[in-house]
Amino acid sequence: MIMKAAVSLLAIRLASAHIEMNWPYPLRSKYDPDTPTSLIDYSMTDPLKSDGSNFPCKGYISNTPWRSVTSYMAGQKYNISLAGSATHGGGSCQLSLSYDNGTSFHVIESMEGGCPLESSYDFNMPSDVANGDALFAWTWFNYEGNREMYMNCADVTISGGQGTADSFESAYPEIFVANVGNGCQTIEMQETVFAHPGNQVIYGSGVTSSSPPSPSCA
Ligand SMILES: *[C@@H]1O[C@H](CO)[C@@H](O)[C@H](O)[C@H]1NC(C)=O
Ligand SMILES: *[C@@H]1O[C@H](CO)[C@@H](O)[C@H](O)[C@H]1NC(C)=O
């Protein structure tokens, strides 16, 4: 009886506490002082639905008024921060940008293995990005536990870039998408290694630049 209660308590804890990006402020974040109370998503740490119905960005692009939360200067160094307690042993994350309202996301940095065991990650905003409004996304494939994809997106403004949306999209790979009913699943207790990680990569938990892509999805 006692053990059963302990097990269900653990299950509740795992189900309710994962990880969320808390800077830059994602759409509907409780950390953003300008998010109207009625729009706050108190379950921001939840993964995307396994049927893909709220991919991308937890379904918040078209129903959340656009408001830039930060400005990035191309070529400069920035960081993201993450909050929450259940890191599920880490996994692999990507940082990406969308210039087409979430139709496509292209990767500016990958953290392969050990992400998000740290609560902050640095990245360089590449010099050849396009200027203007963009969606900035953090995605995560957890190492342990249910096969899930996490995705938080922020409205940002970029300046100083030398590229166009088209040149950026052809130079940077599309984000990896799995565990959202698209026929691709990550493998539990195996670090996700992206076939196309882009040109800024942070390695952790034994993953190196010669680790083969995993999983191999078409
Ligand atoms: C992240 O960047 C901000 C400045 O933009 C800085 O104040 C903060 O210390 C950085 N955090 C880490 C962990 O490097
Ligand atoms: C994205 O959609 C919003 C309205 O949903 C629109 O105002 C904006 O111009 C769109 N941006 C792009 C880059 O298409």
Side-chain angles (χ1 to χ4, degrees):
M1 197 63 190
I2 287 169
M3 210 162 106
K4 206 169 164 194
V7 166
S8 42
L9 265 180
L10 181 71
I12 288 164
R13 209 174 56 82
L14 285 178
S16 61
H18 305 286
I19 299 289
E20 64 190 296
M21 182 165 75
N22 62 351
W23 178 255
Y25 300 134
L27 300 170
R28 307 210 175 201
S29 175
K30 68 179 179 195
Y31 292 97
D32 182 347
D34 294 327
T35 301
T37 311
S38 61
L39 289 188
I40 292 177
D41 174 359
Y42 290 101
S43 307
M44 192 64 92
T45 57
D46 282 359
L48 295 176
K49 292 181 179 157
S50 59
D51 63 5
S53 59
N54 64 354
F55 172 87
C57 305
K58 301 192 82 186
Y60 291 154
I61 299 173
S62 58
N63 56 13
T64 310
W66 202 92
R67 174 173 50 82
S68 178
V69 295
T70 194
S71 297
Y72 291 124
M73 182 68 79
Q76 302 290 302
K77 188 173 167 181
Y78 296 97
N79 61 41
I80 62 152
S81 59
L82 301 167
S85 50
T87 56
H88 293 281
S92 297
C93 306
Q94 293 190 306
L95 302 181
S96 59
L97 293 172
S98 173
Y99 287 97
D100 54 12
N101 265 344
T103 304
S104 70
F105 287 84
H106 293 260
V107 180
I108 57 170
E109 178 166 271
S110 291
M111 297 80 114
E112 301 192 300
C115 181
L117 299 181
E118 309 288 331
S119 58
S120 177
Y121 288 90
D122 289 343
F123 65 94
N124 284 306
M125 181 55 68
S127 55
D128 55 353
V129 293
N131 294 330
D133 296 340
L135 277 162
F136 176 94
W138 165 74
T139 46
W140 171 38
F141 299 92
N142 51 307
Y143 180 70
E144 295 169 1
N146 296 337
R147 300 298 75 209
E148 293 167 336
M149 175 171 183
Y150 293 74
M151 184 173 202
N152 291 164
C153 302
D155 288 340
V156 303
T157 308
I158 298 175
S159 58
Q162 289 154 14
T164 62
D166 283 349
S167 69
F168 171 76
E169 287 165 8
S170 45
Y172 291 80
E174 290 219 36
I175 55 163
F176 180 68
V177 179
N179 309 330
V180 288
N182 63 332
C184 181
Q185 282 244 304
T186 58
I187 301 161
E188 193 180 8
M189 309 305 270
Q190 208 178 94
E191 297 292 359
T192 296
V193 178
F194 304 114
H196 306 289
N199 41 25
Q200 291 183 76
V201 186
I202 297 173
Y203 296 102
S205 296
V207 178
T208 69
S209 58
S210 48
S211 300
S214 170
S216 55
C217 293

